[in-house]
Amino acid sequence: MGNGASADAASSASNGPVTTPLSPPQSARSATVVKRNKQFQEVELKPTPSSGSGDKPQSRGQHSRSGDKPQSRGQQHQQQTTSSRNQTQQNPRKGDDVGASGTTGRQSQPNRSSSPKEEDIVFETFYHRSGKEFQCIYQSGMRFYLDDWGSKEWQPFPKRWYNEGLLVTNSIVKDDADPRNSGSGASGSGGNGQGSQGGQRRSRGGGQDDREGYIMHPTRGKLPTYIFYKKHNVHMYMDKDTGSWMRLPIGWELNHPLVKELVDQVEEAIPHWNDRHEILAMLRSCNYDPDECINIYMHLEGDEWLKVPKTAKDAKAFIAKDEKIAELEMKVRNLEIEVQKYKAEKEEAETLLKSQAEKISDLETETKQTEAQLMVLGGRPRTAARLRSKTPAPVVKERVNPQDIETLNGHAMDLRKVHTRLKMDVQRYMDSMKDMVRQLGPAMAKMKASETSQMGELEEVRALYRKEALQRKLLYNQLQELRGNIRVFCRARKDDNATNCLKFPSDQDIVATHPQYGKKIFSFDKVFDPSATQEQIFEDTKPIVSSCVDGYNVCLMAYGQTGSGKTFTMMGPESNPGINIRAVKELFQVCQDRAETQTFTMKVSIVEIYNETVVDLLNSDAKVLELRTAGNKVNIPGITEIPIKAVDDIKKIMKMGDKNRTTASTKMNSTSSRSHLLLMLSLEGLDKVTGAVSNGTLTLCDLAGSERISKTEAEGQRLVEAAAINKSLSALGQVFTALRTSQLHVPYRNSKLTQILQPSLGGDAKACLFVNISPDEFNFQETISTLTFGSSARQIALGQAKQNIKKGPGRGND
Ligand SMILES: Nc1ncnc2c1ncn2[C@@H]1O[C@H](COP(=O)(O)OP(=O)(O)OP(=O)(O)O)[C@@H](O)[C@H]1O
């Protein structure tokens, strides 16, 4: 521990490069990271012209082979794996986005027969010269990297990084639309959507990463997969006959008391999952972690593949059901097309009918006019004759030519014929219209009936889609949920009067030098020198804080000797607040941004742990609290929880807590630096659409001073205090060690501090430890002790962080 990372770096210099193409990034993380860092110092990577010709990047393998020493087996293996990577490095991908720098020489590409297409997904690893590794994805001309903690999204790949490290292509997942792209190991989905076969994109003999592949899920579509290397517990028994250790059969293992307890725990959480063999099988795959086992089951509950089929008969029925659904969907589509067709025809016929009716009315008007004209013209002589018989005939000059009358009569006759013909046409059209309407009637009724029944099915499909979308979001979050490792930041306080013993060669390294004790180097996720501002400190913790809104348990702790700046970092002065106030502000901001879709309730409690006693600081009587552990949860019956709605509320509550702390300390004759202060925020989010409820917690912890008893030379009560602090801080160290070494039993119960922090330090949380140090040479030994503690904590892999979300009963969750 301690500066183990640096020690590794030194020892790795002679070992040559370490390339672990088959290992996921989190395996043996810190050790290999430093080794790689060393290589980057040794191998200068020069940008090459974008044509890809000319200088090739100097490969690691070439460099490592330069030594003449005979090789060990391990070295030979390293060289083999390295040489396969060298091969990949010498084939820069054509047309790749290399950023502004155009440093294609820094990128490597396996020797493949085909270049990636726009829609292909290229998996890559970026080795930053700082020693960090990042998983990257390149698609459609864009490259993203997965930050290794805290953030919620794939981040755009920074351009400057092209000059700061090496990109290694791991694999290309081809677009399935073109069957020619399928690799030998790949197989697409089955015709009925049940195709469960996964694909591996490369041949096993090709020396490439055969851990990557994909599966075609019946509802989720194409899911990238990766076979992660993880250290797993294997339960064995000693076989007396052979004298060797044998793996316990599941049936036997179920009788083991510890395993029984774990299975009971899962069964209790999911009562309807009553196949104990299955539970144990899942537990085995979860490394005997019941929480992970429960979470997997909960996330995938109702999943198509989990439901069935267990027998070939079931499988057939399942497929038949799917075919039926597909058939029904097809029917709906056809019927919808037919309805559209009928609607169009009906509209056409109606338009025609209307125009014909207009024509008829025009013709009728015309006919009436003509008849009137005829009456006028044809009736005149007869009228004149009648008049002549009664009265003496006046002298009338005949003005109308009889021939004209004849012509007009002829026209009238023609018009009548046309009129009659048109009338017959209209009648015919009307009849055919009526026929059409008669035919349409039942078809429409049929359509309506089937539409109603199909609407139900469509609604079901929609509900399924909404559920899938939610699950996809969850899985996406999981994918991006970076390894959830504890992050360790180091902050050196400002002290103008100190004899400075610290140097800061980079933002991840710190060197402490003492004329008597020599020089020590430590590395952290981030090192803040004394000039770092409160804003800068918070900026790096922001992503982890805001993930509490998504239902994660988050914990920020400040560790260090008295006077090293823990309270300054966590609380800070009113004019320049520390993490506490800024974190709450940030949480309110995130909640406000999501107000359209979610509502949040925030509650706060403040407790102090003094001499292994938990005191409620929001209770004016400084009530002593009990801790009750249930699984991974800790209940504190009777604790005061105050709801907060604005940042000002938290300020008032903190003042109240501070006042009560002073009262309590007077009562107990203690000083604030001798107790741990914990500000605990619980955040419940309700998704307005799905009804899902998320429960996140944020614990902000200002630990008691870590100085050792010998130095404080305490007596009496101070000795008891120091012993209690020692006990709790060593318990914290033991918990870190147990987590680091993946022990089945993590000793959370060894102190009140670790007990209360269990949910934030367990396998499903995100934690951030600030190690606060003084730059003064006088404090050198305490500083080294603090830095060693921080280094040890840094090597812990908490596992994937998990959200605490319960499905809601509401829409979209059915
Ligand atoms: N980065 C900093 N810049 C300026 N002043 C600082 C900084 N860090 C600490 N200080 C000052 O140093 C003094 C001690 O810091 P602080 O009280 O935060 O230490 P502590 O580790 O919390 O001590 P204790 O264990 O006694 O609570 C305070 O006066 C604080 O204002």
Side-chain angles (χ1 to χ4, degrees):
M1 263 179 273
N3 60 344
S6 357
D8 278 350
S11 69
S12 71
S14 61
N15 287 344
V18 176
T19 50
T20 51
L22 294 182
S23 300
Q26 59 266 68
S27 62
R29 191 164 174 269
S30 39
T32 51
V33 159
V34 178
K35 287 173 186 174
R36 284 193 181 111
N37 196 8
K38 189 75 187 167
Q39 288 159 14
F40 280 112
Q41 287 165 8
E42 290 175 355
V43 182
E44 195 194 351
L45 294 168
K46 284 185 179 136
T48 55
S50 56
S51 64
S53 62
D55 290 355
K56 291 198 174 105
Q58 189 180 6
S59 71
R60 301 172 185 196
Q62 286 162 351
H63 186 84
S64 71
R65 279 195 294 274
S66 61
D68 293 337
K69 279 189 212 161
Q71 293 171 332
S72 68
R73 263 178 77 183
Q75 283 171 323
Q76 281 167 15
H77 171 72
Q78 283 173 357
Q79 219 170 59
Q80 275 168 16
T81 50
T82 311
S83 70
S84 77
R85 178 167 288 177
N86 294 342
Q87 195 187 353
T88 69
Q89 285 179 322
Q90 287 161 8
N91 292 284
R93 188 164 55 249
K94 273 185 205 163
D96 202 355
D97 172 20
V98 293
S101 62
T103 52
T104 50
R106 286 172 182 278
Q107 183 154 355
S108 61
Q109 160 78 0
N111 194 5
R112 280 176 224 290
S113 54
S114 63
S115 307
K117 291 200 304 178
E118 270 278 291
E119 60 272 33
D120 293 343
I121 305 170
V122 183
F123 289 92
E124 300 163 322
T125 304
F126 177 68
Y127 299 95
H128 191 265
R129 67 179 176 209
S130 67
K132 282 194 168 193
E133 284 174 23
F134 297 93
Q135 291 306 298
C136 299
I137 276 189
Y138 177 88
Q139 194 181 20
S140 308
M142 307 271 283
R143 175 169 287 117
F144 298 91
Y145 78 99
L146 200 58
D147 190 5
D148 58 352
W149 76 297
S151 94
K152 306 301 306 158
E153 308 289 338
W154 283 95
Q155 306 291 337
F157 193 83
K159 278 184 182 167
R160 66 187 158 81
W161 278 13
Y162 288 102
N163 288 319
E164 295 178 0
L166 180 74
L167 266 170
V168 175
T169 301
N170 298 326
S171 67
I172 300 172
V173 177
K174 291 281 181 192
D175 178 36
D176 256 355
D178 183 357
R180 287 165 299 174
N181 287 339
S182 302
S184 58
S187 52
S189 67
N192 53 21
Q194 284 294 305
S196 63
Q197 302 92 330
Q200 284 171 339
R201 287 287 150 203
R202 60 279 319 280
S203 66
R204 287 184 180 271
Q208 295 160 341
D209 189 350
D210 57 0
R211 286 166 174 262
E212 286 169 0
Y214 66 88
I215 50 167
M216 289 304 298
H217 191 277
T219 52
R220 295 165 191 223
K222 188 173 179 177
L223 303 173
T225 62
Y226 191 91
I227 301 173
F228 280 85
Y229 168 80
K230 279 192 174 177
K231 205 167 73 180
H232 257 71
N233 296 307
V234 180
H235 208 169
M236 316 275 272
Y237 72 97
M238 170 52 80
D239 184 39
K240 286 181 186 157
D241 297 341
T242 57
S244 58
W245 286 100
M246 310 278 276
R247 180 152 204 181
L248 271 170
I250 278 199
W252 291 17
E253 199 180 3
L254 275 170
N255 294 303
H256 185 278
L258 176 65
V259 173
K260 238 182 186 175
E261 206 178 292
L262 294 175
V263 175
D264 288 346
Q265 208 174 320
V266 176
E267 224 179 5
E268 203 177 304
I270 313 168
H272 56 271
W273 191 13
N274 41 28
D275 186 335
R276 291 176 71 81
H277 284 77
E278 229 177 50
I279 294 174
L280 179 51
M282 180 73 94
L283 271 170
R284 280 181 169 191
S285 71
C286 297
N287 207 16
Y288 297 92
D289 180 347
D291 294 325
E292 189 178 344
C293 176
I294 293 165
N295 265 318
I296 290 179
Y297 189 87
M298 299 290 270
H299 277 176
L300 299 178
E301 198 179 6
D303 182 87
E304 296 287 310
W305 282 354
L306 286 188
K307 266 192 262 167
V308 274
K310 284 185 179 158
T311 64
K313 202 176 151 198
D314 285 346
K316 265 190 194 162
F318 205 68
I319 291 167
K321 194 180 143 209
D322 259 32
E323 279 170 354
K324 181 96 183 138
I325 290 170
E327 200 183 303
L328 279 171
E329 276 172 357
M330 181 60 85
K331 262 189 191 169
V332 173
R333 272 197 295 279
N334 288 341
L335 284 172
E336 274 172 356
I337 293 166
E338 258 184 75
V339 169
Q340 290 303 329
K341 211 170 84 189
Y342 279 132
K343 271 187 186 160
E345 275 181 17
K346 192 184 151 207
E347 270 167 25
E348 207 179 306
E350 274 171 358
T351 322
L352 195 62
L353 199 63
K354 208 172 149 194
S355 82
Q356 291 302 336
E358 276 167 9
K359 263 190 195 169
I360 289 166
S361 94
D362 285 353
L363 282 170
E364 277 174 352
T365 324
E366 219 174 296
T367 311
K368 270 180 197 155
Q369 281 171 359
T370 316
E371 276 175 352
Q373 265 185 343
L374 281 173
M375 287 287 281
V376 172
L377 295 173
R380 214 173 257 169
R382 274 200 299 274
T383 315
R386 234 180 284 137
L387 284 171
R388 254 198 316 270
S389 62
K390 289 181 184 169
T391 54
V395 184
V396 178
K397 275 192 183 170
E398 188 59 71
R399 286 197 202 141
V400 181
N401 186 349
Q403 255 186 341
D404 287 348
I405 295 171
E406 281 304 311
T407 319
L408 278 170
N409 265 334
H411 281 323
M413 292 288 281
D414 287 348
L415 278 170
R416 252 195 206 118
K417 275 182 202 158
V418 170
H419 178 218
T420 321
R421 211 170 48 238
L422 280 171
K423 249 187 172 170
M424 282 162 66
D425 278 355
V426 168
Q427 194 55 48
R428 220 175 39 247
Y429 277 126
M430 290 289 278
D431 290 346
S432 77
M433 242 359 262
K434 275 179 191 157
D435 273 356
M436 255 193 218
V437 171
R438 257 199 305 277
Q439 281 172 8
L440 265 173
M444 290 286 281
K446 202 170 138 196
M447 281 304 312
K448 265 196 178 141
S450 78
E451 211 177 290
T452 322
S453 81
Q454 299 307 327
M455 281 305 280
E457 280 177 39
L458 278 175
E459 198 43 52
E460 257 177 49
V461 173
R462 267 193 210 117
L464 197 69
Y465 170 77
R466 281 198 295 269
K467 190 179 164 192
E468 286 307 324
L470 183 72
Q471 277 187 342
R472 189 165 299 191
K473 193 179 150 204
L474 286 172
L475 288 172
Y476 183 67
N477 239 338
Q478 266 191 343
L479 176 78
Q480 290 178 78
E481 250 346 300
L482 325 157
R483 289 158 246 156
N485 290 359
I486 187 164
R487 295 274 126 178
V488 183
F489 295 156
C490 171
R491 184 183 196 183
R493 65 157 285 197
K494 205 182 230 168
D495 191 348
D496 298 334
N497 302 320
T499 314
N500 191 8
C501 68
L502 301 176
K503 281 206 183 99
F504 306 90
S506 79
D507 67 352
Q508 290 193 304
D509 300 307
I510 183 165
V511 181
T513 324
H514 192 278
Q516 190 183 341
Y517 303 111
K519 183 168 151 186
K520 304 257 180 188
I521 306 164
F522 295 88
S523 297
F524 295 100
D525 293 294
K526 189 100 185 222
V527 172
F528 296 98
D529 66 27
S531 67
T533 61
Q534 300 282 67
E535 286 84 12
Q536 285 166 339
I537 301 282
F538 181 66
E539 207 45 45
D540 280 81
T541 40
K542 210 158 129 182
I544 195 172
V545 167
S546 51
S547 66
C548 161
V549 182
D550 292 318
Y552 290 94
N553 290 333
V554 174
C555 175
L556 308 182
M557 291 169 275
Y559 176 98
Q561 74 176 113
T562 297
S564 58
K566 298 183 295 296
T567 311
F568 188 84
T569 301
M570 296 308 289
M571 190 65 207
E574 206 164 345
S575 56
N576 189 15
I579 289 172
N580 292 3
I581 296 286
R582 288 171 200 268
V584 177
K585 256 192 201 163
E586 174 66 15
L587 286 185
F588 274 118
Q589 185 57 51
V590 180
C591 294
Q592 202 178 325
D593 293 346
R594 298 191 187 176
E596 255 182 43
T597 52
Q598 279 172 289
T599 52
F600 290 95
T601 324
M602 212 186 284
K603 284 186 206 149
V604 67
S605 310
I606 304 179
V607 299
E608 180 187 44
I609 306 176
Y610 174 69
N611 276 356
E612 285 302 277
T613 309
V614 183
V615 179
D616 187 348
L617 289 188
L618 296 186
N619 178 301
S620 52
D621 295 334
K623 188 175 153 193
V624 173
L625 299 165
E626 286 300 315
L627 304 184
R628 291 201 191 135
T629 311
N632 193 33
K633 291 205 165 64
V634 176
N635 294 323
I636 314 178
I639 189 170
T640 314
E641 280 188 302
I642 304 183
I644 51 167
K645 292 199 160 56
V647 181
D648 281 346
D649 294 348
I650 190 82
K651 286 183 183 162
K652 278 182 212 152
I653 292 169
M654 279 179 174
K655 271 191 188 142
M656 191 202 295
D658 217 33
K659 198 172 136 220
N660 291 340
R661 195 182 193 194
T662 317
T663 320
S665 63
T666 317
K667 213 161 100 182
M668 294 184 281
N669 188 24
S670 65
T671 58
S672 63
S673 65
R674 311 315 292 150
S675 62
H676 309 297
L677 180 75
L678 279 80
L679 178 86
M680 302 185 292
L681 272 144
S682 66
L683 190 69
E684 186 178 292
L686 173 71
D687 192 312
K688 290 179 189 172
V689 183
T690 62
V693 178
S694 64
N695 280 298
T697 61
L698 174 65
T699 309
L700 301 158
C701 187
D702 183 356
L703 296 170
S706 60
E707 54 278 352
R708 286 161 301 165
I709 303 177
S710 58
K711 189 167 178 186
T712 59
E713 290 162 356
E715 285 178 345
Q717 183 180 357
R718 297 288 164 255
L719 186 66
V720 176
E721 271 174 3
I725 295 167
N726 255 12
K727 179 182 172 188
S728 54
L729 293 181
S730 358
L732 190 63
Q734 283 159 10
V735 165
F736 287 161
T737 308
L739 290 169
R740 191 179 62 242
T741 51
S742 307
Q743 284 174 23
L744 263 184
H745 175 68
V746 183
Y748 292 111
R749 283 167 182 266
N750 280 3
S751 78
K752 293 279 192 252
L753 175 71
T754 45
Q755 206 177 342
I756 213 166
L757 289 180
Q758 179 177 351
S760 311
L761 293 178
D764 58 354
K766 294 183 176 192
C768 180
L769 175 72
F770 273 94
V771 288
N772 288 88
I773 47 168
S774 150
D776 200 339
E777 196 179 270
F778 172 76
N779 292 316
F780 184 81
Q781 279 182 307
E782 283 303 339
T783 299
I784 295 299
S785 155
T786 304
L787 293 172
T788 307
F789 184 89
S791 285
S792 141
R794 198 187 168 213
Q795 292 162 29
I796 297 165
L798 291 185
Q800 262 197 344
K802 290 173 201 162
Q803 289 168 291
N804 306 313
I805 293 189
K806 277 187 212 134
K807 281 182 185 177
R811 292 150 288 157
N813 239 350
D814 32 36

